[in-house]
Every structure is written in structure tokens, then in C-alpha cells.
């Protein structure tokens, strides 16, 4: 009986150690995933900001051209 108790106790300790190791590994994996997701999000934000700036610049140049064309039509002459 005593040997069975010791075996159970040893098995329980090994199980607890395994669960603890698995929990640590899970936490590390989740941390790596979170860091990668944050890096991806930062890259996406940077890309969106660049594209937004390009679109703004493009629209500004188009607005100037349209304003000039409208002014010419209204005034009936080149501005």
C-alpha cells in the first residue's frame, strides 16, 4: 500500500509539473502571437497613413486643376 501511495504521489507531482510546463509554454506562445499581431498592426497603420497621405496629395492637385478649369469657364478666359 505504501508503494502505491508513493507512486500516486509521484505521478501527481509529475502531472502538476507537466501542467505547469504546458501553461508556461502556452503563455510564451500567446505572448509571441500578441507581439507579432502588434507589429503587424503597426505596419498596417503605417501603410494606411502613407496611402492616406498619397491620396490627399493626389486630391489636392486635382482640386487645383478643377478650380482653375472652373475659374476659366466662369470667367470665359484662361486664369
Amino acid at each position: 500500500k505504501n508503494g502505491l501511495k508513493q507512486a500516486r504521489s509521484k505521478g501527481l507531482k509529475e502531472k502538476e509539473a507537466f501542467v505547469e510546463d504546458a501553461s508556461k509554454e502556452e503563455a510564451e506562445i500567446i505572448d509571441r502571437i500578441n507581439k507579432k499581431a502588434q507589429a503587424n498592426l503597426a505596419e498596417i497603420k503605417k501603410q494606411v497613413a502613407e496611402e492616406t497621405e498619397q491620396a490627399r496629395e493626389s486630391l489636392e492637385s486635382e482640386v487645383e486643376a478643377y478650380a482653375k478649369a472652373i475659374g476659366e469657364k466662369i470667367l470665359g478666359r484662361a486664369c
Side-chain angles (χ1 to χ4, degrees):
K1 267 187 158 179
N2 203 14
L4 186 58
K5 273 187 169 181
Q6 287 177 345
R8 282 185 183 162
S9 177
K10 181 180 176 185
L12 184 59
K13 286 179 183 177
E14 287 176 357
K15 177 184 171 188
E16 288 171 355
F18 176 75
V19 169
E20 186 177 332
D21 288 344
S23 294
K24 286 179 184 177
E25 186 175 345
E26 178 185 25
E28 289 172 4
I29 291 170
I30 289 171
D31 186 52
R32 285 196 307 264
I33 290 170
N34 284 336
K35 285 180 180 175
K36 183 171 177 129
Q38 288 174 356
N40 288 345
L41 180 60
E43 183 62 32
I44 289 169
K45 284 182 176 181
K46 179 182 172 188
Q47 184 178 355
V48 167
E50 289 172 358
E51 290 175 3
T52 300
E53 180 62 21
Q54 289 173 357
R56 185 188 62 76
E57 290 172 2
S58 176
L59 289 173
E60 281 180 354
S61 66
E62 288 180 19
V63 165
E64 289 177 20
Y66 287 131
K68 184 176 179 181
I70 290 170
E72 289 174 359
K73 292 232 182 223
I74 291 173
L75 298 175
R77 59 181 164 88
C79 293

